[in-house]
Amino acid sequence: MSQLSVKHLLGIKYLNEDDLHLIFETADHFKEVINRKIKKVPTLRDLTIANLFFENSTRTKLSFELAEKRLSADVINFSAAQSSVKKGETLIDTVNNILAMKVDMIVMRHPNPGAASFLSKNVDACIINAGDGTHEHPSQALLDAFSIREKFGEVAGKKIAIIGDILHSRVALSNIFALKKLGAEVKLCGPKSLLPKHIESLGVTVEQDIKKTLQWCDAANMLRVQNERMDKSYFPSIREYTQLYGLGLPLLKSLNKEIVILHPGPINRGVEISSGVADSDQAIILDQVENGVAIRMAIIYLLASKIMTPSV
Ligand code: CP
């Protein structure tokens, strides 16, 4: 059986192109499984997974939990807000106590960039990064690329725009790594203040004009302005941001072609994207959410197969 080149999923940066195709082919199988009448397989009934969320989440948390349950793994959930972290317990102590309960795999969302990588070096378990601050969100990028592949047949050669708050977005960085490894062209668009300096060194182009960006692309991934990660104002007002970088139906209809619209969620309706666009036939936002379960089943299955058959 083909295997991933990594023992943990810490970021797309550490995966190679073969890993990405293997995850997609495995997810194809699991997507068929979750659309059956009986959506569950007994594959991972010997595996125990802990989901550790130190930051809020709806999609990622529920999607990982559902993926684990569809694979018949035992699941425990940890929310930092109700835990002994509040009494001063360290991350490593917290995780080692959870592992002492015979847990095999940790799915972790954490506000600090590098937290998943730090954990992988300090505890004896398989670690899946469910988003680490402004750094990476690998499972989101995998489900985004999988959804683009599903829509167009392949990712290679496609022109993908990522529009909005690139500076604070782990989704943007993981998407850039995934799309470039898969052979797509990537253009970033947003206010200069929300575009990281030297981002072109990752092989992407940058454009400030949203209409030119939309005219260029096959698909646009619209990102939320992450106010919770901002310590100062990056643009004069939300109204001005929406006027310059928001996507509404008049702009979408003014293009001379039909493009596909993605959004990782949560959506700020009326800010980066209007309800008309979010709910239009061109948007694949809920397909992304559906694909998230299949992608996360594939990630867990492939990493678990490395724990169960360690290489010699
Ligand atoms: N896309 C995403 O990560 O959403 P949640 O924060 O709800 O998990």
Side-chain angles (χ1 to χ4, degrees):
M1 188 196 104
S2 298
Q3 290 228 318
L4 292 175
S5 65
V6 293
K7 288 198 298 190
H8 311 276
L9 181 64
L10 303 177
I12 302 290
K13 186 178 179 182
Y14 308 106
L15 302 180
N16 60 42
E17 191 184 343
D18 287 344
D19 290 328
L20 299 178
H21 289 299
L22 177 59
I23 292 168
F24 292 164
E25 282 152 26
T26 311
D28 285 336
H29 167 68
F30 286 127
K31 182 153 184 185
E32 187 265 311
V33 168
I34 60 176
N35 280 290
R36 288 181 197 159
K37 198 163 174 226
I38 297 169
K39 300 173 174 60
K40 199 163 171 165
V41 286
T43 320
L44 296 185
R45 63 183 171 209
D46 296 328
L47 199 82
T48 304
I49 305 177
N51 299 315
L52 275 61
F53 279 74
F54 292 85
E55 238 188 20
N56 294 341
S57 169
T58 298
R59 281 145 290 273
T60 312
K61 186 168 185 284
L62 294 179
S63 179
F64 265 114
E65 185 174 348
L66 199 55
E68 291 151 6
K69 288 178 171 169
R70 297 277 191 248
L71 290 165
S72 300
D74 288 324
V75 180
I76 54 172
N77 288 306
F78 166 98
S79 165
Q82 284 104 43
S83 75
S84 291
V85 168
K86 293 282 168 205
K87 301 174 197 164
E89 193 165 37
T90 68
L91 177 62
I92 292 177
D93 279 344
T94 300
V95 173
N96 275 330
N97 276 269
I98 291 168
L99 295 179
M101 300 177 209
K102 308 298 174 206
V103 166
D104 306 294
M105 193 179 275
I106 301 283
V107 175
M108 184 174 76
R109 170 167 289 190
H110 200 281
N112 293 352
S117 174
F118 169 78
L119 201 58
S120 72
K121 293 183 178 82
N122 287 284
V123 303
D124 185 19
C126 171
I127 308 296
I128 297 177
N129 180 6
D132 58 335
T134 55
H135 180 223
E136 280 228 35
H137 192 347
S139 62
Q140 180 69 46
L142 288 165
L143 75 88
D144 290 344
F146 183 79
S147 302
I148 291 168
R149 168 184 176 267
E150 187 173 69
K151 196 72 193 171
F152 294 108
E154 61 179 342
V155 178
K158 293 289 162 294
K159 293 178 174 169
I160 313 298
I162 306 174
I163 300 173
D165 180 1
I166 313 291
L167 185 67
H168 299 101
S169 176
R170 55 194 174 208
V171 174
L173 189 59
S174 289
N175 260 270
I176 291 167
F177 286 137
L179 294 168
K180 292 298 297 176
K181 282 174 201 262
L182 291 164
E185 287 182 61
V186 180
K187 193 184 286 296
L188 309 179
C189 176
K192 211 168 182 177
S193 58
L194 291 177
L195 289 163
K197 285 192 177 69
H198 313 302
I199 191 78
E200 293 95 334
S201 65
L202 296 180
V204 300
T205 54
V206 170
E207 169 64 62
Q208 243 98 65
D209 185 320
I210 189 171
K211 184 152 186 182
K212 280 189 193 159
T213 305
L214 295 169
Q215 292 281 20
W216 169 86
C217 72
D218 299 306
N221 200 345
M222 302 301 299
L223 302 182
R224 180 175 67 88
V225 174
Q226 303 206 19
N227 290 308
E228 73 276 20
R229 298 194 199 281
M230 295 183 185
D231 51 7
K232 58 179 182 180
S233 291
Y234 285 81
F235 44 84
S237 69
I238 289 285
R239 193 159 152 263
E240 185 169 354
Y241 178 87
T242 302
Q243 273 172 358
L244 290 174
Y245 294 102
L247 178 55
L249 275 180
L251 177 55
L252 190 63
K253 298 289 177 209
S254 75
L255 306 177
N256 54 15
K257 59 179 184 178
E258 199 162 286
I259 62 167
V260 169
I261 305 299
L262 298 97
H263 194 304
I267 298 173
N268 279 333
R269 287 176 182 259
V271 180
E272 72 276 5
I273 188 172
S274 72
S275 283
V277 173
D279 302 332
S280 72
D281 291 343
Q282 285 170 249
I284 59 166
I285 299 168
L286 293 179
D287 299 320
Q288 290 171 262
V289 177
E290 178 183 346
N291 289 335
V293 178
I295 279 289
R296 290 177 174 118
M297 287 173 81
I299 293 165
I300 293 163
Y301 171 81
L302 290 165
L303 289 173
S305 70
K306 297 203 82 158
I307 301 173
M308 289 163 171
T309 52
S311 52
V312 285

